[in-house]
């Protein structure tokens, strides 16, 4: 039998060690197991109310809705299923701002310059609609300047959007303190929690959160599904982004993907049940990795607060060694930069520049993410690979001078 592959398929590359858990996570096998029947055996439309196929699917979706809600200490009726955090963020920011301007005359939206692109672009889209917007700087450690935030709020403010955990540097924002200032101005607080759910304690009631976005593939669930928490009391109201059959209380029309909703619910339940033990394990792996690589390279600067940070994240700067060259040299190690491609040019991370890093230092920084499937043995090998790559890149640069 020939072992040739169809020419239209890409060659499979060696898998290596995966340390890019902030980009995405593998779907937990336990999640896959509960999803599978809903693709084939129980394939009904959850909005079909005339027969058992639809009833079973609806029951599964509502069970999943309850699981997502429980992970946030929310009511199941406050959970709206979406395609992921990008859609949830768009719906929360645009929907809340448009509703409040139309009904209350509030015409101002505030966010931080280290937010995810979909939050920043949603805010800029509102500016083009005539909203007054302000994108605030952060402190050098990546955390919000609470006094600066307070000064930006007034009776015109409709919404403030702040990420719970930054996707590049992993810092954890002080949500209760932020909510106190936001609510004092009569504004609503939206939180992008895609990187936070299952990693840090999240209670929408005690934290004072009005709207919260999450995504399945960031917490070992499937890609293509997420949710938006919309507070019921006091009521938060949104204008929907698009029209249709009125599903999800009219906020998000369209047929719900039962298998994906079931997977998201299971992923939230598992993450909640295992969060504390997993956080402790990841903290140990992170400390071991940092100690191993510093033993080879000397002290390394971490970007963002190391204290207010999720345990599975590091963002490290290696001066004199551009990140793209490190990754090319560290074959078999999957890490990432905070860079984004624009017009075929790699630009330094806007998040790192917001912390005050020079373009050169930002370009020499790597994001390293540990996760549920990371082993201690992998951490040791990864530290060796990365340190050797940095040494090689620096040596090549010195030889070229």
């Amino acid at each position: 039998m020939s072992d040739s592959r169809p020419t239209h398929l890409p060659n499979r590359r060696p898998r290596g060690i995966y340390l890019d858990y902030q980009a995405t996570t593998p779907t937990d096998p336990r999640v896959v197991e509960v999803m599978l029947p809903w693709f084939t055996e129980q394939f009904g439309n959850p909005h079909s109310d005339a027969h058992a196929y639809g009833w079973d699917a609806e029951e599964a979706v509502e069970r999943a809705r309850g699981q997502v809600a429980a992970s946030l200490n929310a009511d199941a009726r406050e959970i709206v299923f979406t395609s992921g955090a990008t859609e949830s963020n768009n719906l929360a920011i645009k929907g809340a701002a448009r509703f409040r301007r139309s009904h209350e005359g509030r015409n101002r939206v505030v966010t931080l310059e280290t937010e995810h692109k979909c939050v920043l672009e949603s805010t800029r889209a509102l500016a083009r609609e005539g909203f007054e917007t302000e994108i605030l700087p952060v402190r050098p450690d990546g955390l919000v300047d609470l006094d600066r935030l307070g000064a930006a709020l007034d009776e015109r403010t409709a919404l403030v959007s702040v990420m719970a955990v930054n996707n590049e540097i992993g810092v954890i924002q002080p949500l209760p303190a932020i909510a106190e200032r936001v609510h004092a101005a009569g504004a609503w607080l939206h939180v992008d929690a895609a990187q936070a759910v299952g990693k840090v304690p999240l209670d929408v009631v005690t934290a004072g959160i009005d709207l919260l976005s999450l995504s399945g593939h960031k917490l070992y669930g499937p890609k293509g599904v997420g949710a938006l928490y919309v507070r019921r009391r006091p009521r938060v109201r949104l204008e929907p982004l698009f029209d249709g059959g009125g599903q999800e209380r009219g906020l998000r029309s369209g047929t719900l993907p039962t298998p994906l909703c079931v997977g998201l619910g299971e992923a939230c339940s598992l993450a909640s049940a295992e969060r504390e033990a997993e956080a402790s394990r990841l903290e140990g792996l992170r400390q071991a990795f940092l100690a191993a690589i510093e033993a080879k390279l000397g002290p390394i600067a971490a970007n963002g607060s190391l204290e207010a940070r999720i345990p599975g994240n590091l963002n490290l700067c290696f001066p004199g060694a551009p990140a793209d060259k490190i990754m090319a040299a560290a074959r078999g190690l999957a890490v990432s930069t905070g860079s984004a491609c624009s017009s075929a040019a790699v630009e330094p991370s806007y998040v790192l520049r917001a912390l005050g890093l020079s373009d050169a230092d930002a370009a020499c920084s790597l994001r390293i993410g540990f996760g549920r499937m990371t082993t201690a043995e992998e951490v040791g090998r990864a530290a060796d690979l990365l340190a050797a790559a940095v040494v090689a890149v620096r040596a090549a640069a010195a030889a070229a001078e």
Side-chain angles (χ1 to χ4, degrees), residues 18-26 116 166-168 194-195 199 215-219 223 312-313 334-337 367-370:
Y18 186 77
L19 294 183
D20 199 17
Y21 277 83
Q22 272 74 68
T24 194
T25 60
H116 192 277
N166 187 272
N167 58 305
E168 290 191 27
Q195 298 285 348
K199 301 171 187 174
S215 191
H217 77 102
K218 303 294 188 182
L219 63 142
K223 294 177 176 67
N313 171 276
V335 293
S336 64
T337 70
R367 179 181 67 177
I368 301 157
F370 310 97

Side-chain angles (χ1 to χ4, degrees), residues 20 30 114-115 143 302 321 328 339:
D20 199 17
R30 295 170 292 180
T114 51
E115 294 298 303
L143 298 176
S339 301

Side-chain angles (χ1 to χ4, degrees), residues 167-202:
N167 58 305
E168 290 191 27
I169 57 176
V171 297
I172 306 168
Q173 298 290 356
L175 296 179
I178 293 170
E180 182 179 356
R181 286 160 175 78
V182 170
H183 293 156
W188 292 341
L189 174 63
H190 166 250
V191 172
D192 176 354
Q195 298 285 348
V197 175
K199 301 171 187 174
V200 297
L202 270 179

Side-chain angles (χ1 to χ4, degrees), residues 55-80:
W55 301 335
D56 289 346
E58 179 187 21
E59 181 180 341
V61 166
E62 294 311 310
R63 186 184 313 114
R65 195 187 307 276
Q67 290 174 306
V68 175
S71 71
L72 305 172
N73 190 30
D75 188 296
R77 294 170 291 180
E78 297 174 312
I79 301 301
V80 175

Side-chain angles (χ1 to χ4, degrees), residues 2-20:
S2 171
D3 61 356
S4 62
R5 296 168 47 80
T7 57
H8 67 279
L9 293 178
N11 291 324
R12 186 177 296 277
R13 297 181 179 180
R15 306 291 281 186
I17 302 171
Y18 186 77
L19 294 183
D20 199 17

